[in-house]
């Protein structure tokens, strides 16, 4: 029937596109059609013939995570470009709905893979609340902005806890947390700072390509954050060290690369928002942005989920 076809499309496409398990989607379509037309629809009248690989559950979850990241980023970009507060709130609510949906599907095991999935999700929560905070700061709503950044920091800390057994990405998440601790004037954490720097230096020495570029980005920001977290161990020529790390990112990945754009946006925040009360940060951040910017102007790219 026409009603059945409409209901089938309403269930099938949105759920497949957001990354739901197709087996569960098929079950839900059957259930919906049975309720809609019990007299005309037999439970087994809708059948899918397919082969399922052994790691199908992992593939489904990986695709779901990627779709959630994209949906969250779209919502946040719409909030950035909203014409008024009402449009902004609608976009933000859509993003928050996606992060909540993701959180509700997280695995609960203690294995490395489950911990990594939780860490990724919690990091996205931190990124989402950080961008919400920046939106409030942009509208001179400092109280709301600070509350959002505090929520962001709490999620980054949860992500750090999950990564504690996997050093591969710990330094990236830890740097986000250290940055917010500095902005919010919370207690210094020299131990976390030193661990993040050591792991980033390890990646710098042993990695190539993108992973090495991210290590340069981490170390560039940590050079600046050292003035807060380890003031007795601040390196000489901080501005030059930051500039050299940023130039290395460009040399490795290119001026318009995802890695260069992400790092540039992070330092731009110190210029636009977080460095207003600390001119030293603004001066260093301007040097970083200059080193990361292409001569022909900035390109448009998607803000990364952890940015």
């Amino acid at each position: 029937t026409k009603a059945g076809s409409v209901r089938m499309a309403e269930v099938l496409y949105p759920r497949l596109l957001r990354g739901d398990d197709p087996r569960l989607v098929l079950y839900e379509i059957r259930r919906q059609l049975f309720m809609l037309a019990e007299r005309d629809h037999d439970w087994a009248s809708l059948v899918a013939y397919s082969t399922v690989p052994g790691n199908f559950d992992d593939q489904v979850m990986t695709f779901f995570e990627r779709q959630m990241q994209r949906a969250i980023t779209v919502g946040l970009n719409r909030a950035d470009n909203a014409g008024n507060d009402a449009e902004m709130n609608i976009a933000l609510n859509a993003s928050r709905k996606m992060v909540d949906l993701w959180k509700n599907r997280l695995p609960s095991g203690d294995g490395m893979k489950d911990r990594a999935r939780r860490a990724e999700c919690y990091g996205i929560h931190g990124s989402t609340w950080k961008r919400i905070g920046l939106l409030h700061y942009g509208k001179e709503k400092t109280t709301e902005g600070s509350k959002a950044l505090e929520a962001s920091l709490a999620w980054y800390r949860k992500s750090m806890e999950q990564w504690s057994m996997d050093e591969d990405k710990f330094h990236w998440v830890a740097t986000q947390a250290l940055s917010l601790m500095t902005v919010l004037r919370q207690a210094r954490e020299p131990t976390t700072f030193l661990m993040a720097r050591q792991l980033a230096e390890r990646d710098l020495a042993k990695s190539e390509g993108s992973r090495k570029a991210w290590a340069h980005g981490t170390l560039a920001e940590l050079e600046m954050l050292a003035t807060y977290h380890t003031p007795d161990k601040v390196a000489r020529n901080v501005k030059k060290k930051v500039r050299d790390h940023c130039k290395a990112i460009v040399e490795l990945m290119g001026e318009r690369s995802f890695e260069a754009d992400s790092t540039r946006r992070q330092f731009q925040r110190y210029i636009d928002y977080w460095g207003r009360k600390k001119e030293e940060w603004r001066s260093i951040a301007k040097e970083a942005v200059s080193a990361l910017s292409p001569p022909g102007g900035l390109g448009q790219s998607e803000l990364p989920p952890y940015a």
Side-chain angles (χ1 to χ4, degrees), residues 168-289:
D168 183 32
K169 294 185 179 179
F170 178 87
H171 66 74
W172 203 98
V173 179
T175 302
Q176 303 302 305
L178 289 165
S179 174
L180 291 179
M181 293 174 206
T182 306
V183 172
L184 295 168
R185 294 296 190 271
Q186 294 198 3
R188 293 178 172 86
E189 289 199 11
T191 301
T192 300
F193 178 92
L194 293 173
M195 181 180 293
R197 187 166 68 182
Q198 288 171 1
L199 293 174
E201 288 173 343
R202 179 209 62 183
D203 277 1
L204 193 64
K206 297 183 178 181
S207 303
E208 298 294 336
S210 179
R211 184 170 172 179
K212 188 167 187 173
W214 288 124
H216 276 296
T218 292
L219 290 168
E221 191 169 359
L222 289 176
E223 291 288 356
M224 184 170 63
L225 294 176
T227 60
Y228 186 82
H229 289 282
T230 57
D232 58 329
K233 298 180 181 179
V234 177
R236 294 181 179 180
N237 301 321
V238 172
K239 189 179 295 187
K240 180 181 183 303
K241 289 180 177 291
V242 170
R243 182 175 64 246
D244 290 346
H245 281 301
C246 292
K247 285 184 176 180
I249 296 173
V250 173
E251 291 172 1
L252 280 167
M253 308 305 297
E255 294 164 334
R256 298 181 183 276
S257 65
F258 178 77
E259 293 81 1
D261 188 51
S262 172
T263 306
R264 180 175 56 245
R265 288 175 183 237
Q266 177 69 355
F267 276 105
Q268 188 68 43
R269 294 184 179 109
Y270 288 97
I271 299 172
D272 296 339
Y273 302 100
W274 299 338
R276 292 176 179 177
K277 296 182 180 180
K278 194 172 179 63
E279 186 57 35
E280 182 184 10
W281 289 352
R282 290 172 61 86
S283 178
I284 297 171
K286 286 178 181 178
E287 196 73 28
V289 170

Side-chain angles (χ1 to χ4, degrees), residues 1-13 29 33 36-37:
T1 65
K2 182 178 180 180
S5 298
V6 171
R7 181 64 59 85
M8 187 167 139
E10 289 175 344
V11 174
L12 177 66
Y13 295 110
I29 291 175
L33 292 177
L36 181 68

Side-chain angles (χ1 to χ4, degrees), residues 118-129:
R118 291 197 295 272
E120 185 83 4
C121 180
Y122 297 157
I124 297 297
H125 274 70
S127 173
T128 300
W129 280 105

Side-chain angles (χ1 to χ4, degrees), residues 128-143:
T128 300
W129 280 105
K130 182 169 70 174
R131 288 187 65 179
I132 292 172
L134 293 174
L135 281 169
H136 288 311
Y137 275 114
K139 294 179 178 294
E140 304 297 332
K141 297 179 179 179
T142 55
T143 300

Side-chain angles (χ1 to χ4, degrees), residues 148-158 177 180-181 184 186:
L149 292 187
E150 288 170 359
S152 173
L153 176 56
W155 283 111
Y156 278 129
R157 286 185 182 278
K158 287 194 69 172
L180 291 179
M181 293 174 206
L184 295 168
Q186 294 198 3

